[in-house]
Amino acid sequence: MTDIERHAYDVVVIGAGGAGLSAAIEAHQQGAKTAIVCKSLLGKAHTVMAEGGIAASLGNLWPEDNWQVHFRDTMRGGKMLNHWRMAQLHAQEAPDRVLELEEWGALFDRTGDGLISQRDFGGHRYARLAHVGDRTGLEMIRTLQQRAVQLGIDVFMECTITQLLAGNGRIAGAFGYRRESGQFLCFEAPAVILATGGVGKSYKVTSNSWEYTGDGHALAVRAGGTLINMEFVQFHPTGMVWPPSVRGILVTESVRGDGGVLRNSEGERFMFNYITEYFKAETADSEEEADRWYEDKRNNRRPPELLPRDEVARAINAEVKAGRGSPHGGVFLDIASRRSADYIRKRLPSMYHQFKELADVDITAEAMEVGPTCHYVMGGVEVDPDSQASTVSGLYAAGEVAGGMHGSNRLGGNSLSDLLVFGRRAGTYAAEYAASLGGDRPRASEEELAGFERTALAPFSEEGDENPYALHKDLQDLMQGLVGIIRTGEELKQATKQLDEMKERVRRVTVEGGRQYNPGWHLALDLHNMLLVSESIAKAALERQESRGGHTRDDYPTADPEWGQLNVICREADGGIEISTQPLPEMPEELKALFEEK
Amino acid sequence: MGYDLQLRVWRGDAAKGDFIDFTVEAEEGEVVLDVLHRLQATQAGDLAVRWNCKAGKCGSCSMEVNGHPRLSCMTRLSDFDRAETISVSPLRTFPVIKDLVTDVSFNYEKAKEVPAFAPRPKDPDGTYRMMQEDVERGQEFRKCIECWLCQNTCHVIRDHEENKPAFAGPRYFIRYAELDMHPLDTNDRRTLTDKQAGIGLCNITKCCTEVCPEGIKITDNGIIPMKERVADRKYDPLVWLGSKIFRRGE
Ligand SMILES: Cc1cc2nc3c(=O)[nH]c(=O)nc-3n(C[C@H](O)[C@H](O)[C@H](O)COP(=O)(O)OP(=O)(O)OC[C@H]3O[C@@H](n4cnc5c(N)ncnc54)[C@H](O)[C@@H]3O)c2cc1C
Ligand code: SF4
Ligand code: SF4
Ligand code: FES
């Protein structure tokens, strides 16, 4: 195995988004020899695209905001399926993490008093999102990236990890290739942190990039770890729908937070017809009250456009189905008639730019057409809430790839804060674990490495008839059609059957060209991960016979209190996914009490 | 609605390469990156091209379209005549890896030379107070998506490989400017930019500003003020000393 490039570290972080960078900075600060590995160039991870903001109860605009209120909003948004301890830690620590970003150079928008400004978002009782216009993710990733560079942390850019090394049930490192040259790499490290983000590339209409192939989810499962809550996929209510080439690109929720409203083809603000019992008490029931809320939050209730995302996405879906959609199959999002052109350009500069450049729409003068787009996966690697340790020794997960924090539905803004809080925690505990081993480090076996190399090269030698791009498209059509926003048992069964067929097909994938920067080859390898993750989603969705948050079953249209006590778990068995259920952890009494007041 | 687009794509690697002609289907509303993806999926599975967000937010998809440095995800086909052949090639200033992908590590090396942000102590209540007007100047530069189009365009390095070691380039001039204008930072970077970043080599042609997809006024708001201050400071050390002492108290 002479042609494998070797490196040795204490902690290897897979992923350079908000979670990976936070984890690496912290592990490094704890004294661990740390490396970051990422598929794209540094600074291009998904985090860069986040727009709206970072949720943290700083209380800069609403002194009555505090972690308890944030905790309660998060749990209610997730329909109480969140791991309570993660939601608690998240709400408690988010403000400090935001202030830390400022110490590292981030320049957030300010309040009149010169403090960090906060903006309204769906499901958050108070204006809570620290932001920079509508490019908050860029500010966050750049701040963390610059910090990591200044600390001198080693970064392996454009390298893809394809396998984890495990010796006797403990992590020994990671194996992958350099995209630029096709050169294989082996990182020997007793602690590996997965910070690989999400899975959206398995869907046709998505706000996610080519990177979101569920690698971390698949790596964890193959190493013997478990996934939790995989049936919960967030369809963001507002993606672009026209022209076709931009279908799915995100339209930030800030448009609604800043005053935009949803209308159907009849001009009706239809969200008033979709206020569920669960949120009735806190949602305005007239346009007048909803409009007053922007100015006076104490005496008015929130507009229904700012209900949690699952509620809004389902409502849009229903309007379109009922024939009240916009010309290109969405609904109208109108801020032009409600706010001045100046205000819109100032608050939403990149949305203005995006519509102008890509759709010839001036959002200060006309309404946008929007519809649901696959955006975020709530499900992920099952971890310990305090340390982010998975069930495999030495394997940690943080950020979108980790499960539990968001329950059945994530509130906007709660991801960026999640990355900071749990990225840092993963860094602390992974460094501590690596140090605790002393000289007793698990080692990778050469035989295992040789096997990984063979698997990775298979698409070159395969005499198959499958094109990776064609198979990918079929998978996207399948997931969009049968495992999408509204599901039925029949369709899910059909989906798992078709996924089995695709698992056969993926073995016959062949690629042209050589090993140097070959996207066809990269996709061929990523497809294995997408299939494993898609199978997890489909099977978990079939298992959960109720509707809750990001999982809607037409054949079980309501939430079932018994299911409300259970998590669905995925693990690998015989090259496929095996499903089981496990009871939710019990919330302590003092936290339960927070849900009694209205 | 769809039509056949004549596309001429540079294909090759560090050793050799050439433009290859393709006919690709194109649809209404599409951008250059869309047709490159279609080309990948149907005719050239191993065509190397970088991209991530497809919405002008990540700065990955930079290339030259008909010789102009552009983000391919924001370059609409409707900007061209349907009969016209569109040619795409890799950024010229950086060494080619394969097809449309270049080795941009120059930029990441320059990033390492920027000194660490060094904030003043917090206010007694544990916060930093900064006014919106004061953060806005720095925010303009922090819009940078690191697409390297300005770096690619600047003739100081585009035509003069030998200048690369001494010249950080426009992207980093605004990084130094941003730190200099940061209400909390305590470093003095003017010496640094002059000595190490090579701002003196810039002769204010403004080509960098013209190609910036974020519309950052790199020259007017970043480079020129920095040059003026560097000049000031060289001229009279006391001016610099004074500004350093009084800046925080403003
Ligand atoms: C358009 C958009 C807007 C959003 N807006 C908001 C918002 O306003 N507020 C909010 O809270 N959330 C928002 N989100 C969600 C949030 O941005 C993401 O959930 C979050 O950024 C994920 O961060 P992460 O660190 O987990 O992963 P990412 O930032 O996606 O990083 C993943 C990293 O893992 C690497 N990686 C993956 N697989 C491998 C592999 N096999 N080998 C090596 N490296 C690998 C990738 O290269 C990348 O560096 C938005 C999302 C989108 C798409
Ligand atoms: S203005 Fe200066 S930095 Fe910008 S392109 Fe011209 S010479 Fe280069
Ligand atoms: S300054 Fe503009 S052109 Fe230069 S890298 Fe940044 S965004 Fe690109
Ligand atoms: S793909 Fe992100 S800027 Fe073009």
Side-chain angles (χ1 to χ4, degrees), chain A residues 236-314:
Chain A
H236 193 291
T238 60
M240 292 175 82
V241 298
W242 185 259
S245 89
V246 298
R247 195 171 187 122
I249 291 180
L250 195 74
V251 180
T252 175
E253 189 167 321
S254 320
V255 176
R256 284 169 284 139
D258 289 348
V261 297
L262 293 164
R263 295 185 202 279
N264 59 23
S265 58
E266 289 155 17
E268 182 192 13
R269 259 180 92 173
F270 58 84
M271 277 310 300
F272 287 99
N273 309 330
Y274 294 90
I275 305 170
T276 46
E277 207 45 50
Y278 197 76
F279 292 106
K280 220 171 196 144
E282 58 206 63
T283 311
D285 53 16
S286 72
E287 293 195 23
E288 293 70 28
E289 180 179 0
D291 286 346
R292 282 196 308 266
W293 173 86
Y294 287 98
E295 298 307 322
D296 175 6
K297 296 193 170 61
R298 280 193 189 86
N299 300 309
N300 298 289
R301 292 169 300 173
R302 321 168 50 80
E305 280 86 1
L306 289 177
L307 282 168
R309 289 177 177 172
D310 53 327
E311 309 278 344
V312 184
R314 270 191 302 271

Side-chain angles (χ1 to χ4, degrees), chain A residues 79-277:
Chain A
K79 300 271 160 60
M80 304 305 283
L81 217 64
N82 323 46
H83 194 310
W84 65 267
R85 176 66 179 158
M86 287 178 90
Q88 180 189 28
L89 288 169
H90 167 258
Q92 286 174 330
E93 295 179 6
D96 282 349
R97 296 286 80 76
V98 170
L99 294 173
E100 194 166 65
L101 282 185
E102 193 168 59
E103 260 173 75
W104 294 346
L107 282 175
F108 291 103
D109 286 348
R110 317 307 294 180
T111 65
D113 305 339
L115 296 172
I116 295 174
S117 179
Q118 299 186 269
R119 106 177 336 142
D120 284 306
F121 240 54
H124 293 282
R125 186 193 282 192
Y126 299 110
R128 187 178 281 148
L129 271 67
H131 60 274
V132 186
D134 52 4
R135 57 161 189 86
T136 313
L138 172 63
E139 187 68 16
M140 175 159 153
I141 201 164
R142 204 64 85 228
T143 304
L144 293 170
Q145 167 188 352
Q146 287 165 349
R147 172 97 185 150
V149 168
Q150 285 154 5
L151 293 173
I153 299 173
D154 293 342
V155 185
F156 293 80
M157 290 189 229
E158 298 201 305
C159 294
T160 302
I161 298 297
T162 58
Q163 304 280 356
L164 294 176
L165 313 173
N168 297 329
R170 295 190 304 169
I171 287 297
F175 171 90
Y177 60 89
R178 285 187 183 276
R179 299 179 64 222
E180 181 182 323
S181 56
Q183 166 76 46
F184 289 117
L185 289 155
C186 168
F187 294 92
E188 288 190 75
V192 170
I193 300 174
L194 299 170
T196 52
V199 309
K201 259 306 172 200
S202 297
Y203 286 84
K204 188 159 122 197
V205 178
T206 176
S207 63
N208 295 171
S209 85
W210 72 271
E211 292 201 309
Y212 267 26
T213 50
D215 297 2
H217 293 77
L219 289 169
V221 168
R222 282 199 218 102
T226 44
L227 304 179
I228 189 169
N229 290 345
M230 289 305 289
E231 64 276 34
F232 300 113
V233 176
Q234 179 166 79
F235 287 82
H236 193 291
T238 60
M240 292 175 82
V241 298
W242 185 259
S245 89
V246 298
R247 195 171 187 122
I249 291 180
L250 195 74
V251 180
T252 175
E253 189 167 321
S254 320
V255 176
R256 284 169 284 139
D258 289 348
V261 297
L262 293 164
R263 295 185 202 279
N264 59 23
S265 58
E266 289 155 17
E268 182 192 13
R269 259 180 92 173
F270 58 84
M271 277 310 300
F272 287 99
N273 309 330
Y274 294 90
I275 305 170
T276 46
E277 207 45 50

Side-chain angles (χ1 to χ4, degrees), chain A residues 41 118 143 159 163 275 356 368 417 422 439 460 574 579:
Chain A
L41 295 171
Q118 299 186 269
T143 304
C159 294
Q163 304 280 356
I275 305 170
K356 191 104 193 144
M368 300 161 243
S417 41
F422 294 108
F460 288 112
D574 307 322
I579 296 288

